[in-house]
Amino acid sequence: MTMHAAATSYQPTQVWESERMLYDLLRAPEKYELFFERYASALIMRLGYGKEIESGEEPYARDILKVVHTVERVASPGAYLVDTFPMLMHLPAWLAPFKQEAARLHNFEINLFRELLLEVREKMRNGKALKCFSRTFLERQSEFGLSDDEGAYVIGTLFEAGAGTTAAAMMSFVLSMCHYPEWLKKMQKEVDRVVGDERLPNFGDIPQLPTVRAIAKETLRWRPVTAGGVPHELIKDDVYEGFFFPAGTNIHANQWAIHRDPELYPDPETFNPDRWLFPGYPTYREPLDRFPNLQNFSAFGFGRRICPGMNIAENSLHLLIARMAWATEISKKPGVEVPLYDYTAGFNVQPKPFVFDLKARSAARKKIVDIAWLQNKDTDPLGLAMGSGA
């Protein structure tokens, strides 16, 4: 199954989780971080382990998000002195606090990933395991040639990669709408024209919503989640602008700088989705029922290390942004400043908590959101999403 086809098979779960997110967000918008993180975490938990996250506050949900944020912290270049002075790696563990911390973090991480995988194995013995990545791995483990712990890490790192990044992108989307409200109005006009006012947007509408897709892409350009990029190791000697780099050199593609190249992105500091929608901009491509999209966008990395969940993330961002545009009004709260850039530090970044107003566009639309969730909350999107394989 191709990445695109696999991502399509997960759409029922994304629809289900987006209905839950909208329902709760309209009731408690101040908990937006929890609801964005729960959406992303629950989606990956279902796909990876066939396991549901109900509140987002379950111990295993908080533990795995703790792992996510730990990776974001420790993977940040320069987080430890040993990053600058590699010779410190030769110190014995009792003289190297970073080695002691690494051992503690590894034990916490592998115990969590192992427990989640073995829970699926136990369910398989009882005939109760739902279709998920873990079940597929365990059924084909001899073919893959991986140990339990290796498999646990493969699946666990999918969660690490997917849970925090989608949530962070959605937080930046809300921030952009606070500062550039004219784009929310343009998007709402487009969504209303295509969808009408009697139902929520669905995946079938996305090709007719280029403004939604442009806003998703511009959000990732304007505020890239992995701002410093993922390190790549040169497989051969290279020369760049007169500088020689031997094979084995670690190179960080500075995503922040790439997304601010004025030749490719004129006026790069401005949030401007028009750069994806109108001829005359270097980034314009057509037809607009296909472009803009997030395929092969540098925000997801490069080459062999491009994000394997890119298609799932693209579907999530398009659906969530379209549905929020249809259902909600987002704005600054009168008298309260929303910082233009006040982000966390680390490998992945997201806006620090900020205050804004979010409400339903109308009582009728809120009722439609309520009905959609209350009618579907007891259904089984997991079975629907994974029936064609994971």
Side-chain angles (χ1 to χ4, degrees), residues 253-287:
N254 185 333
Q255 208 56 55
W256 184 268
I258 290 170
H259 285 179
R260 278 158 174 71
D261 178 354
E263 292 188 9
L264 191 59
Y265 306 109
D267 190 18
E269 292 300 328
T270 299
F271 182 87
N272 179 20
D274 272 344
R275 67 179 81 250
W276 310 105
L277 297 171
F278 285 96
Y281 285 98
T283 43
Y284 173 77
R285 294 182 70 185
E286 54 184 358

Side-chain angles (χ1 to χ4, degrees), residues 43-307:
L43 176 63
I44 303 300
M45 187 67 75
R46 286 175 178 274
L47 302 183
Y49 303 104
K51 192 176 179 70
E52 185 176 352
I53 291 177
E54 293 184 5
S55 68
E57 299 287 358
E58 295 87 346
Y60 61 85
R62 302 317 298 173
D63 282 349
I64 206 158
L65 279 173
K66 180 180 177 182
V67 168
V68 170
H69 293 312
T70 293
V71 171
E72 293 170 351
R73 175 179 62 83
V74 303
S76 180
Y80 294 88
L81 194 61
V82 68
D83 295 340
T84 305
F85 301 102
M87 68 182 66
L88 296 177
M89 281 296 295
H90 298 292
L91 289 174
W94 63 274
L95 274 178
F98 68 91
K99 289 187 176 181
Q100 298 167 27
E101 183 185 10
R104 288 195 303 271
L105 295 176
H106 170 72
N107 288 335
F108 181 86
E109 189 175 58
I110 189 57
N111 287 335
L112 177 61
F113 292 165
R114 188 187 291 140
E115 179 182 338
L116 289 166
L117 180 66
L118 296 183
E119 182 180 322
V120 175
R121 174 176 282 160
E122 185 61 28
K123 289 179 179 178
M124 288 173 65
R125 290 178 181 144
N126 299 328
K128 296 181 179 179
L130 296 169
K131 193 68 177 175
C132 60
F133 295 150
S134 293
R135 177 178 159 181
T136 299
F137 164 72
L138 291 168
E139 289 173 339
R140 301 170 59 186
Q141 186 170 1
S142 60
E143 176 187 340
F144 294 140
L146 298 176
S147 69
D148 281 358
D149 282 359
E150 288 169 338
Y153 253 104
V154 169
I155 299 162
T157 51
L158 290 176
F159 194 103
E160 288 180 345
T165 50
T166 297
M170 287 305 300
M171 294 175 205
S172 289
F173 160 71
V174 172
L175 180 72
S176 71
M177 294 301 97
C178 288
H179 283 283
Y180 297 91
E182 68 275 15
W183 278 104
L184 179 61
K185 298 302 180 187
K186 291 178 183 180
M187 183 166 51
Q188 288 174 333
K189 184 177 180 180
E190 176 182 84
V191 170
D192 291 351
R193 174 177 53 80
V194 172
V195 176
D197 58 5
E198 295 183 355
R199 66 174 178 87
L200 285 162
N202 282 310
F203 281 110
D205 301 312
I206 299 302
Q208 285 74 53
L209 300 174
T211 304
V212 168
R213 289 181 274 115
I215 285 173
K217 191 161 190 173
E218 183 68 355
T219 296
L220 291 177
R221 184 206 67 82
W222 184 65
R223 294 291 186 263
V225 176
T226 308
V230 175
H232 292 244
E233 184 176 292
L234 293 183
I235 59 174
K236 61 180 181 180
D237 294 349
D238 198 6
V239 176
Y240 178 74
E241 294 189 353
F243 291 92
F244 172 73
F245 298 96
T249 301
N250 282 329
I251 301 293
H252 274 264
N254 185 333
Q255 208 56 55
W256 184 268
I258 290 170
H259 285 179
R260 278 158 174 71
D261 178 354
E263 292 188 9
L264 191 59
Y265 306 109
D267 190 18
E269 292 300 328
T270 299
F271 182 87
N272 179 20
D274 272 344
R275 67 179 81 250
W276 310 105
L277 297 171
F278 285 96
Y281 285 98
T283 43
Y284 173 77
R285 294 182 70 185
E286 54 184 358
L288 287 180
D289 61 351
R290 282 187 58 206
F291 302 101
N293 59 52
L294 298 179
Q295 300 302 299
N296 299 310
F297 189 32
S298 60
F300 291 94
F302 310 89
R304 293 169 58 191
R305 299 196 69 180
I306 196 167
C307 174

